[in-house]
């Protein structure tokens, strides 16, 4: 039976959340920056107004400010994005338990079943997200994940795009090959050299020829282009017991410097650590997963001397793994960090190697939790020293600035 799959993409997610929580900045061009204090920090997200000034994700802050002199730069607040991401998930789960997140702001939903009406459900989700969560989404409706994802990219913001089996040749095939998920810059360059410009060209190319210069992924990409993608939407992870807590991120541009890697590492570990604390767990193992822009990936893991639920410790371990195992043969495209080997601190014994600064840091985290309990859900700002080489050694106190800006929900 034909499947009904939605891909929901929250538009300008980080910037939308910041603008929703701070209406005073809504009428200005806004960018969420990895490090606001540092001119060389990068832009992580921007709103529509900033987009009009050609501010792009991955720009250095100074570049973006040059393009758009009145740009309002705000720091990233990962806890907030996580909270909004959960609110979105709760809405999606009203329609199906087959919800697979792709990063914080995107999800696939499998609605397949008798009487499924993908378009009507997509329109309803689009309206509910705007009124109940306060942000706009674009949704692709299709018969597989790849085309659903492509549909959500075709029209934005606040739109629903349908790509059906009957129409995909007209809709999808004229698009440039790189519009297809997993066709990165390097791959599209190789395709262009052989005059394969569009998704249609890719679909109709000789698979052996594709494999000759792209390897196995050549055949996979061709199947995607031809609408042959049978990958299932994985069920919500919330329903299985938590064995590891992880997060991954695909960058919209190739990452070529340690500075970019540090920023992503911190963003990822911030969210992983926040979730560990929420579950009341600590982790003993940190896993790093890297995919380069040629789609080659590897993962490595390391054991912490002491279990931790602190972004500081997870980030230090992940960065050490990266520096030890990545030789920069090509730029990095995606990165994931997971905390595994989980335990509950209540049953954990103090060890001889106890790190006193970790206790200090934990007391600080506990007081953050206190503040949250007392004031409902105050916004807690984390000022992060991102570009400092001694990041791993930074005193945790310097990393946290408690700054209740606004209270919500
Ligand atoms: Mg998005």
């Amino acid at each position: 039976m034909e499947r009904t799959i939605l891909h929901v993409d929250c538009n300008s997610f980080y910037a939308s959340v910041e603008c929703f929580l701070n209406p005073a900045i809504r009428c200005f061009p806004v960018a969420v920056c990895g490090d606001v204090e540092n001119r060389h920090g990068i832009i992580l997200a921007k709103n529509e107004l900033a987009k009009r000034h050609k501010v792009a994700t991955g720009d250095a802050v100074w570049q973006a400010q040059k393009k758009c002199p009145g740009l309002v730069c705000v720091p990233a607040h990962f806890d907030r994005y996580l909270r909004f991401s959960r609110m979105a998930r709760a809405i999606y789960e009203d329609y199906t338990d087959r919800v697979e997140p792709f990063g914080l702001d995107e999800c696939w939903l499998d609605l397949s079943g008798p009487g499924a009406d993908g378009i009507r459900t997509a329109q309803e989700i689009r309206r509910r997200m705007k009124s109940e969560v306060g942000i706009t989404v674009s949704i692709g409706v299709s018969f597989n994940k790849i085309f659903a994802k492509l549909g959500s990219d075709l029209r934005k913001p606040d739109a629903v795009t349908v790509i059906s089996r009957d129409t995909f040749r007209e809709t999808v095939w004229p698009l440039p090959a790189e519009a297809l998920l997993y066709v990165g810059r390097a791959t599209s360059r190789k395709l262009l050299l052989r005059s394969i410009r569009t998704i249609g060209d890719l679909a109709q190319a000789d698979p052996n020829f594709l494999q000759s210069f792209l390897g196995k992924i050549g055949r996979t990409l061709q199947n995607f282009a031809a609408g042959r993608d049978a990958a299932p939407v994985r069920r919500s992870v919330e329903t299985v017991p938590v064995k590891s807590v992880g997060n991954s991120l695909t960058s919209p541009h190739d990452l070529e410097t340690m500075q970019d890697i540090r920023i992503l590492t911190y963003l990822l570990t911030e969210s992983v650590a926040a979730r560990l604390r929420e579950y009341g767990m600590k982790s003993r193992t940190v896993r790093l997963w890297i995919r380069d822009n040629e789609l080659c990936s590897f993962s490595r893991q390391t054991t912490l001397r002491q279990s931790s639920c602190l972004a500081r410790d997870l980030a230090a371990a992940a960065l050490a793994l990266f520096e030890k195992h990545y030789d920069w043969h090509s730029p990095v495209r995606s990165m994931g960090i997971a905390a595994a080997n989980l335990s509950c601190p209540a049953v954990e014994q103090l060890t001889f190697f106890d790190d006193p600064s970790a206790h200090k840091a934990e007391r600080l985290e506990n007081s953050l939790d206190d503040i949250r309990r007392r004031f409902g859900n105050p916004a807690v700002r984390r000022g992060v020293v991102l570009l400092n080489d001694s990041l791993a050694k930074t005193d945790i106190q310097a990393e946290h600035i408690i700054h209740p800006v606004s209270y919500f929900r």
Side-chain angles (χ1 to χ4, degrees):
M1 196 183 66
E2 191 80 317
R3 295 189 295 163
T4 305
I5 293 174
L6 267 50
H7 182 267
V8 189
D9 183 355
C10 300
N11 304 129
S12 314
F13 184 52
Y14 299 174
S16 301
V17 171
E18 297 296 341
C19 289
F20 177 79
L21 295 175
N22 185 1
I25 61 173
R26 256 180 234 175
C27 50
F28 298 104
V30 174
V32 177
C33 309
D35 183 355
V36 179
E37 307 305 320
N38 190 307
R39 276 170 38 81
H40 296 282
I42 61 166
I43 305 294
L44 299 171
K46 69 277 166 194
N47 69 356
E48 284 297 323
L49 288 170
K51 228 175 263 179
R52 266 182 235 163
H53 287 86
K54 305 258 181 310
V55 172
T57 304
D59 279 354
V61 171
W62 67 267
Q63 280 175 323
Q65 282 167 337
K66 211 165 128 190
K67 289 180 188 172
C68 178
L71 187 67
V72 178
C73 289
V74 296
H77 300 91
F78 223 70
D79 287 3
R80 294 178 184 177
Y81 312 145
L82 206 59
R83 192 172 301 126
F84 274 72
S85 180
R86 286 216 191 88
M87 289 192 264
R89 279 276 283 282
I91 289 184
Y92 308 155
E93 282 167 4
D94 281 346
Y95 303 92
T96 173
D97 63 342
R98 284 163 295 176
V99 176
E100 179 185 344
F102 188 62
L104 266 189
D105 64 328
E106 300 178 24
C107 275
W108 278 287
L109 282 62
D110 189 341
L111 301 175
S112 309
D117 186 341
I119 302 170
R120 207 191 44 148
T121 308
Q123 292 292 8
E124 193 173 313
I125 289 175
R126 184 182 62 80
R127 281 191 294 268
R128 284 187 66 190
M129 283 294 290
K130 209 154 51 165
S131 64
E132 294 173 34
V133 183
I135 58 181
T136 63
V137 296
S138 44
I139 305 181
V141 184
S142 193
F143 55 95
N144 66 44
K145 286 167 78 179
I146 294 287
F147 284 174
K149 160 86 179 155
L150 196 113
S152 71
D153 286 335
L154 278 187
R155 282 191 304 139
K156 50 175 76 170
D158 202 18
V160 172
T161 304
V162 183
I163 297 175
S164 72
R165 194 178 286 281
D166 299 330
T167 61
F168 79 86
R169 289 175 191 82
E170 292 96 84
T171 334
V172 172
W173 280 10
L175 299 171
E178 64 201 86
L180 202 63
L181 184 64
Y182 301 124
V183 177
R185 214 183 295 165
T187 305
S188 98
R189 221 177 290 138
K190 285 182 199 165
L191 291 169
L192 277 178
L193 279 174
R194 285 137 183 117
S195 299
I196 298 171
R197 292 188 176 81
T198 64
I199 296 180
D201 292 343
L202 186 57
Q204 290 161 302
D206 173 4
N208 292 322
F209 175 59
L210 290 174
Q211 185 163 7
S212 71
F213 65 94
L214 291 176
K216 257 202 332 244
I217 188 76
R219 283 172 183 274
T220 309
L221 291 176
Q222 187 191 38
N223 281 330
F224 289 169
R228 292 187 296 266
D229 162 34
V233 175
R234 277 170 283 161
R235 272 166 207 281
S236 299
V237 286
E238 251 74 20
T239 54
V240 300
V242 183
K243 284 197 174 141
S244 69
V245 174
N247 240 317
S248 65
L249 217 144
T250 296
S251 167
H253 68 114
D254 291 342
L255 304 175
E256 310 197 26
T257 66
M258 255 335 269
Q259 179 176 305
D260 290 345
I261 297 297
R262 276 192 201 101
I263 290 168
L264 279 199
T265 301
Y266 229 90
L267 283 175
L268 290 169
T269 50
E270 279 282 348
S271 97
V272 171
R275 277 158 67 200
L276 283 176
R277 284 197 297 276
E278 185 182 304
Y279 298 144
M281 286 173 153
K282 286 186 175 188
S283 138
R284 191 74 198 270
T285 300
V286 175
R287 237 179 255 144
L288 172 74
W289 168 83
I290 295 289
R291 187 164 64 203
D292 66 23
N293 68 352
E294 307 285 328
L295 297 187
C296 298
S297 60
F298 78 94
S299 81
R300 293 283 183 280
Q301 65 177 49
T302 186
T303 304
L304 298 172
R305 216 176 52 169
Q306 201 182 333
S307 300
S308 173
C309 56
L310 300 172
R312 174 192 73 162
D313 299 339
L314 306 183
L319 281 169
L321 279 174
F322 183 90
E323 285 185 318
K324 190 166 163 201
H325 296 288
Y326 201 72
D327 62 4
W328 287 110
H329 58 277
S330 49
V332 171
R333 202 70 210 273
S334 309
M335 188 168 165
I337 292 175
N341 203 349
L342 304 179
S343 62
C344 293
V347 295
E348 195 192 331
Q349 291 187 341
L350 290 177
T351 70
F352 180 69
F353 298 104
D354 246 0
D355 169 9
S357 82
H359 282 302
K360 218 161 80 179
E362 272 182 54
R363 276 208 301 277
L364 191 75
E365 299 295 345
N366 284 338
S367 55
L368 288 183
D369 292 342
D370 267 353
I371 290 170
R372 288 196 189 100
R373 267 194 296 273
R374 270 193 283 157
F375 297 104
N377 270 317
V380 177
R381 184 189 156 197
R382 246 170 220 278
V384 186
V385 188
L386 284 172
L387 304 176
N388 187 332
D389 276 338
S390 60
L391 179 69
K393 293 179 219 114
T394 315
D395 180 2
I396 194 82
Q397 303 248 29
E399 289 178 40
H400 299 261
I401 301 163
I402 301 168
H403 180 49
V405 195
S406 60
Y407 304 140
F408 56 96
R409 288 190 193 245

